[in-house]
Amino acid sequence: MIGVDVGGGDRLALAVLVQYRMGTTEQMHWVIAPGVRIEQTRRRLARLREEGLIDRITLPQAGHRRVWFPTAYGVRLASEWPELRGRRPSRAASDPTAVLAVGHGLTVTETGLTFLQDARCRGDVCRPLDGMTEVHHPIGNGHAVIPDALMYYRRGPGEDGSMLRAFVEVDRATMGPERLAAKLTAYERLYSHVPAVPGRRPTIQQPGVEAWRRRYAQRREAFFTTDASVIQA
C-alpha cells in the first residue's frame, strides 16, 4: 500500500466504506473530514483507488456523481483492524453489482450522516464508525431481523450519557403493506426474544414486555385498517 496512510484519514475512509458499503464523494467528505477542503477528500479517495482498496462508479444522472465502494481486497484488509474486528462486513460489501441498487444504499449512508452531523451540533457522541449496515439479529427458530442499518448514539459528551441504539429501515416506496407489517412483527419478536443459553432453563419474560406487545398489537390493527392511500403516502 504505497502512499496510503493506514494510521490516519486513509484508514478511516476505507473503514467507513466497509461499514456503509458505499458513499458519494460529498458524503465521505462530511463523514471523515468536514473541517478541510473537499479537494483533500477527493485526493484521498483517488489514492485508495490507486492502491486497489476501493473503486467507484459514475452515476448517469445530471451531475455525474461518483459513488465509492470497497473492493474485496479493501474489505479483507479493513476487517483485520481492531476497530472493525468482530464486525461481519455486509454481504453486499465489495460487490459491484450491489452498487447498482445505489439509491437505497446512498439513502442508508445519508441517514448515518444525519445522525453524525446532529451529534456534532448537539455535543453528543456518534462517531463515523458508530453505524453499520445489515447486522444479523437472531429471533429464534432460524429467523432473524436484518435492519438496513444499526446506529449507536450517546447523549452528552461524558461517559455518563444515555446509550441509545437505532434500527434504520429505508423504504423508497417499493415495499407493500404486507411486507412492512411482516417487518414490524419481526422487530416485535426481537424485542421480546430471550436468547437460549446452553444448559440453562428458559427464564420468565422481562417485565413490561407483555404490555408493550399489547400496545404493538393495537397499533398493528390500526395499521391494517388505515386507508390504502394513506399507507402509500
Side-chain angles (χ1 to χ4, degrees):
M1 294 183 297
I2 301 174
V4 172
D5 176 17
V6 295
D10 293 349
R11 176 174 178 141
L12 178 59
L14 176 57
V16 167
L17 281 176
V18 171
Q19 290 269 90
Y20 283 95
R21 294 170 36 191
M22 67 183 72
T24 65
T25 304
E26 292 76 15
Q27 287 176 333
M28 292 298 297
H29 177 67
W30 284 106
V31 171
I32 66 175
V36 302
R37 299 182 64 182
I38 195 171
E39 285 76 13
Q40 294 187 34
T41 300
R42 292 194 178 100
R43 289 195 295 269
R44 188 183 304 282
L45 294 171
R47 186 163 58 247
L48 291 172
R49 184 171 183 248
E50 290 174 359
E51 294 296 330
L53 297 169
I54 67 175
D55 207 343
R56 74 189 184 203
I57 61 172
T58 302
L59 300 182
Q61 294 90 341
H64 300 286
R65 289 194 303 169
R66 291 176 174 175
V67 178
W68 302 87
F69 60 95
T71 63
Y73 171 45
V75 171
R76 288 197 303 271
L77 176 66
S79 296
E80 295 299 321
W81 294 341
E83 59 267 38
L84 297 184
R85 193 169 296 155
R87 299 187 182 184
R88 182 183 302 173
S90 165
R91 293 172 297 176
S94 78
D95 181 3
T97 62
V99 181
L100 297 178
V102 68
H104 182 275
L106 291 181
T107 303
V108 173
T109 302
E110 189 69 24
T111 303
L113 176 57
T114 300
F115 274 89
L116 182 62
Q117 290 178 315
D118 193 58
R120 288 168 175 166
C121 293
R122 294 173 178 270
D124 295 337
V125 178
C126 184
R127 292 171 288 262
L129 297 181
D130 283 343
M132 60 198 77
T133 59
E134 297 184 351
V135 180
H136 188 273
H137 293 80
I139 56 177
N141 298 323
H143 299 287
V145 171
I146 307 177
D148 290 326
L150 170 64
M151 299 296 305
Y152 291 91
Y153 193 102
R154 187 173 69 209
R155 287 181 176 170
E159 294 294 332
D160 297 330
S162 301
M163 294 295 297
L164 306 174
R165 291 187 183 184
F167 293 109
V168 177
E169 288 287 353
V170 174
D171 177 24
R172 304 179 69 239
T174 59
M175 186 181 299
E178 291 187 3
R179 285 187 59 199
L180 178 59
K183 280 204 169 187
L184 294 175
T185 300
Y187 277 109
E188 184 272 337
R189 287 182 59 186
L190 175 63
Y191 182 85
S192 58
H193 177 62
V194 179
V197 179
R200 181 181 300 177
R201 298 180 60 184
T203 58
I204 300 176
Q205 282 198 346
Q206 299 174 358
V209 169
E210 289 303 322
W212 186 92
R213 294 180 67 178
R214 286 194 296 270
R215 292 196 301 271
Y216 169 81
Q218 293 171 354
R219 293 174 182 172
R220 187 170 182 268
E221 182 179 358
F223 172 83
F224 278 111
T225 57
T226 301
D227 185 81
S229 63
V230 176
I231 295 176
Q232 293 175 359

